[in-house]
Amino acid sequence: MNDTYGFIIGLRALRDYQDRPLKDEDLDAILEIARWTGSSKNKQDWSFVILTGPDQLEAIAQAGDFTDPVRASAATVVVVQEPGGNEFDSGRVAQNMMLAAASIGVASCPITLHREEVARRTLGLPDDRRARYAVAFGYPTENAAPRKFGGRKPMSDVVHHGGY
Ligand SMILES: Cc1cc2nc3c(=O)[nH]c(=O)nc-3n(C[C@H](O)[C@H](O)[C@H](O)COP(=O)(O)O)c2cc1C
């Protein structure tokens, strides 16, 4: 296989970050990839809220159940689903940001905001927008490692040919 294939298959959620901000050019590079992600009918019904600093990060961390990576992050990007948007597009944009980040040495972890009303209030979102997912970013610590239970189901469990 080639290097790109190895890079994609090797992407892991990392949750331990150095205590330093993201460089502007790194954050910009991640957001530029987000902007260029393909979406259904190219509608781009998304926007991105960048949160940094302990106060903003703690406030949005309150919206989810497994948000320690947000607290540890240098920046967390909330993916806002604009009217007409859908979760498939949000997933694509989140994964693209994670891949872009990894390519420039930035670790990341997807985050679920289980309490959407808390997220809505925290961000000042209008009622017709949703904020269900975010991605935490930061430069990985030396010992940043994926969770040990992070294997995958065998191919035979997940692939069906010609019908379910
Ligand atoms: C939609 C989605 C939501 C996730 N939410 C969280 C979360 O709230 N907190 C967290 O620590 N990890 C979260 N994760 C990360 C998963 O736990 C991780 O992708 C999975 O365990 C596989 O880990 P690996 O890619 O490092 O092998 C989420 C992942 C996805 C795809």
Side-chain angles (χ1 to χ4, degrees), residues 34-75:
R35 196 170 74 82
W36 273 99
T37 298
S39 57
S40 69
K41 297 183 182 163
N42 197 27
K43 288 193 301 177
Q44 305 160 64
D45 288 326
W46 50 43
S47 57
F48 309 99
V49 181
I50 321 305
L51 300 171
T52 56
D55 293 348
Q56 292 180 2
L57 294 171
E58 180 56 38
I60 198 65
Q62 298 288 330
D65 290 336
F66 308 106
T67 49
D68 279 349
V70 169
R71 295 183 175 91
S73 71

Side-chain angles (χ1 to χ4, degrees), residues 29-38 46 48 77 93-94 96-97 100:
I30 292 165
L31 294 171
E32 181 68 351
I33 290 286
R35 196 170 74 82
W36 273 99
T37 298
W46 50 43
F48 309 99
V77 176
V93 86
N96 261 10
M97 285 195 287

Side-chain angles (χ1 to χ4, degrees), residues 11-15 65-67 69 109-114 133 146-147 149-152:
L11 181 72
R12 296 278 80 82
L14 295 178
R15 298 174 175 84
D65 290 336
F66 308 106
T67 49
C109 182
I111 297 293
T112 308
L113 303 175
H114 300 88
Y133 298 104
R147 284 193 177 152
F149 55 79
R152 295 297 188 264

Side-chain angles (χ1 to χ4, degrees), residues 15-162:
R15 298 174 175 84
D16 295 311
Y17 316 110
Q18 297 173 32
D19 187 16
R20 63 178 171 110
L22 284 189
K23 290 184 207 152
D24 286 346
E25 67 250 40
D26 287 345
L27 182 58
D28 288 350
I30 292 165
L31 294 171
E32 181 68 351
I33 290 286
R35 196 170 74 82
W36 273 99
T37 298
S39 57
S40 69
K41 297 183 182 163
N42 197 27
K43 288 193 301 177
Q44 305 160 64
D45 288 326
W46 50 43
S47 57
F48 309 99
V49 181
I50 321 305
L51 300 171
T52 56
D55 293 348
Q56 292 180 2
L57 294 171
E58 180 56 38
I60 198 65
Q62 298 288 330
D65 290 336
F66 308 106
T67 49
D68 279 349
V70 169
R71 295 183 175 91
S73 71
T76 287
V77 176
V78 180
V79 178
V80 174
Q81 201 175 302
E82 298 283 326
N86 63 66
E87 290 197 337
F88 191 96
D89 288 346
S90 295
R92 286 195 71 193
V93 86
Q95 180 80 357
N96 261 10
M97 285 195 287
M98 291 182 67
L99 286 167
S103 79
I104 55 175
V106 176
S108 64
C109 182
I111 297 293
T112 308
L113 303 175
H114 300 88
R115 288 174 289 287
E116 289 186 48
E117 280 314 308
V118 176
R120 183 185 305 285
R121 216 170 37 244
T122 301
L123 302 175
L125 271 191
D127 286 347
D128 57 354
R129 269 76 168 165
R130 281 188 75 192
R132 173 79 178 167
Y133 298 104
V135 184
F137 294 99
Y139 300 107
T141 59
E142 249 173 50
N143 51 7
R147 284 193 177 152
K148 290 205 179 68
F149 55 79
R152 295 297 188 264
K153 295 177 182 176
M155 191 80 87
S156 56
D157 279 11
V158 295
V159 176
H160 311 273
H161 292 275

